[in-house]
Amino acid sequence: MQTIELRELEKLKTLRLNIGRSLSQGEGMRRSSAKGRSAEFSGYREYIPGDDMRYVDWNAFARFDKLFIKEFMEEKEGRVNIFLDTSLSMEFGQKLKSTLMAELTEAISYIATSGKDMVYVTDLCDIKRSIRVANGNLGVSQLKKWLTTTNIQGRVNLIQSLKKSIKGRGGIAFLISDLMDEEFLDNEDEIIRLFEYHNMKLIILHVLSKEELNIEDVGAFQLVDAEDQSRDIKLTLDRNTVGEYQRALEDYIRKVKEKAKAGGMGYVLCSTGDPLQEILFIKLREIYSI
């Protein structure tokens, strides 16, 4: 996936994510990064590449042959999780949806780490591929490498992948997806309950290509399912058919947005046809602290 130049990311330094105090515990890094780590032990979680090795519990490693990180109350503050839909349907458009997904991931991560928040990014098609993003230029380069080596492949069941990959409690989470999972809308209530249980505010970044949002071509086409090459369909598009498609898409977007709002989630439609700066500074303005 293509990524953003560092000089473009640096324009985001003044922004801070709005991570509600009600979603966190303890003093936390956001209130004072100079106070050091709280002595109040909170629990364990499995190690994620990028975690500080100083907080590995080596006794637990000796017993279970797995790396576990000690968490403290302070770490409950400022947690940002980013979940990426890397299924093949994201590999579509003149500007690929996966490219916009990578750009959004980098931008959100940069904003969060600049504010001393902890950022975890997870590949929903391969949930073992997760990374904790370090602060500063080191984190930028690590995340760039991770994103450029991420494979766009196969299909994804969003609810099952989220259930298996979500870790920790509190903070804010971003799901970046084109929501082409046919079961997503039916399972949205379950997703709401899942994030409520983990006390996380979920923001859905619905990524669609400009070609999906505004069909300009008409005529006869043979379409192939991006996630199942054995499925294809011959289709003749005229103005009436395009109109029906547009209405169906608008209805789907409206339903997702309404369910998200009713469940206390955020929702932002992101088009590959929109300038990235417009998405970051205008469409996403509600996720930032004033």
Side-chain angles (χ1 to χ4, degrees), residues 169-235:
R169 294 183 62 81
I172 189 170
F174 294 87
L175 169 61
I176 309 180
S177 171
D178 60 4
L179 306 183
M180 292 295 181
D181 176 2
E182 295 175 359
E183 299 179 6
F184 176 79
L185 193 58
D186 292 337
N187 288 316
E188 197 165 0
D189 290 338
E190 191 171 356
I191 290 174
I192 290 169
R193 290 195 298 272
L194 174 65
F195 282 91
E196 282 180 344
Y197 174 78
H198 286 272
N199 204 23
M200 289 181 188
K201 166 78 173 182
L202 176 63
I203 309 293
I204 298 172
L205 301 184
H206 190 183
V207 174
L208 291 175
S209 70
K210 66 177 182 179
E211 294 88 353
E212 289 169 324
L213 288 165
N214 186 20
I215 296 178
E216 296 180 350
D217 295 331
V218 295
F221 301 90
Q222 182 163 355
L223 306 179
V224 179
D225 187 334
E227 298 179 359
D228 184 352
Q229 299 295 316
S230 66
R231 295 174 61 187
D232 59 20
I233 184 173
K234 292 181 180 179
L235 183 65

Side-chain angles (χ1 to χ4, degrees), residues 37-283:
R37 182 172 295 270
S38 166
E40 191 172 353
F41 176 69
S42 175
Y44 294 95
R45 62 170 171 77
E46 286 191 35
Y47 170 83
I48 293 175
D51 280 335
D52 192 330
M53 296 298 290
R54 291 177 297 172
Y55 303 111
V56 169
D57 187 315
W58 296 107
N59 290 327
F61 175 72
R63 290 178 61 192
F64 302 108
D65 197 28
K66 271 188 177 182
L67 292 176
F68 290 91
I69 294 290
K70 295 178 182 177
E71 285 195 308
F72 298 81
M73 291 299 283
E74 178 183 64
E75 289 191 310
K76 296 299 182 184
E77 180 94 346
R79 181 188 294 270
V80 179
N81 288 282
I82 305 175
F83 300 101
L84 306 183
D85 175 357
T86 57
S87 60
L88 269 173
S89 65
M90 296 295 290
E91 204 79 340
F92 178 78
Q94 183 176 358
K95 175 179 178 177
L96 298 175
K97 290 183 280 185
S98 60
T99 297
L100 179 53
M101 176 171 66
E103 292 172 342
L104 292 170
T105 301
E106 274 198 290
I108 293 168
S109 298
Y110 187 82
I111 293 167
T113 55
S114 295
K116 307 300 182 185
D117 296 324
M118 296 180 298
V119 179
Y120 300 89
V121 184
T122 301
D123 178 347
L124 289 178
C125 282
D126 185 0
I127 59 176
K128 292 181 180 179
R129 288 194 75 250
S130 294
I131 182 173
R132 177 175 175 179
V133 183
N135 292 345
N137 290 350
L138 174 61
V140 172
S141 60
Q142 286 178 336
L143 183 57
K144 281 182 181 293
K145 182 177 179 181
W146 189 89
L147 288 168
T148 55
T149 56
T150 297
N151 294 320
I152 306 298
Q153 59 185 348
R155 307 178 79 90
V156 65
N157 182 308
L158 291 174
I159 182 63
Q160 294 304 322
S161 294
L162 287 169
K163 281 180 177 179
K164 293 175 182 176
S165 59
I166 190 170
K167 294 181 176 68
R169 294 183 62 81
I172 189 170
F174 294 87
L175 169 61
I176 309 180
S177 171
D178 60 4
L179 306 183
M180 292 295 181
D181 176 2
E182 295 175 359
E183 299 179 6
F184 176 79
L185 193 58
D186 292 337
N187 288 316
E188 197 165 0
D189 290 338
E190 191 171 356
I191 290 174
I192 290 169
R193 290 195 298 272
L194 174 65
F195 282 91
E196 282 180 344
Y197 174 78
H198 286 272
N199 204 23
M200 289 181 188
K201 166 78 173 182
L202 176 63
I203 309 293
I204 298 172
L205 301 184
H206 190 183
V207 174
L208 291 175
S209 70
K210 66 177 182 179
E211 294 88 353
E212 289 169 324
L213 288 165
N214 186 20
I215 296 178
E216 296 180 350
D217 295 331
V218 295
F221 301 90
Q222 182 163 355
L223 306 179
V224 179
D225 187 334
E227 298 179 359
D228 184 352
Q229 299 295 316
S230 66
R231 295 174 61 187
D232 59 20
I233 184 173
K234 292 181 180 179
L235 183 65
T236 300
L237 290 180
D238 56 26
R239 291 302 173 191
N240 289 334
T241 307
V242 171
E244 290 176 5
Y245 164 82
Q246 295 286 169
R247 288 189 290 273
L249 178 60
E250 289 168 5
D251 185 57
Y252 178 70
I253 291 171
R254 178 185 56 78
K255 287 178 179 177
V256 173
K257 189 173 183 178
E258 287 177 353
K259 277 201 171 185
K261 184 178 180 180
M265 302 187 296
Y267 173 90
V268 181
L269 178 62
C270 305
S271 168
T272 60
D274 294 335
L276 182 61
Q277 297 297 318
E278 179 183 318
I279 295 174
L280 295 175
F281 285 97
I282 299 176
K283 287 196 169 186

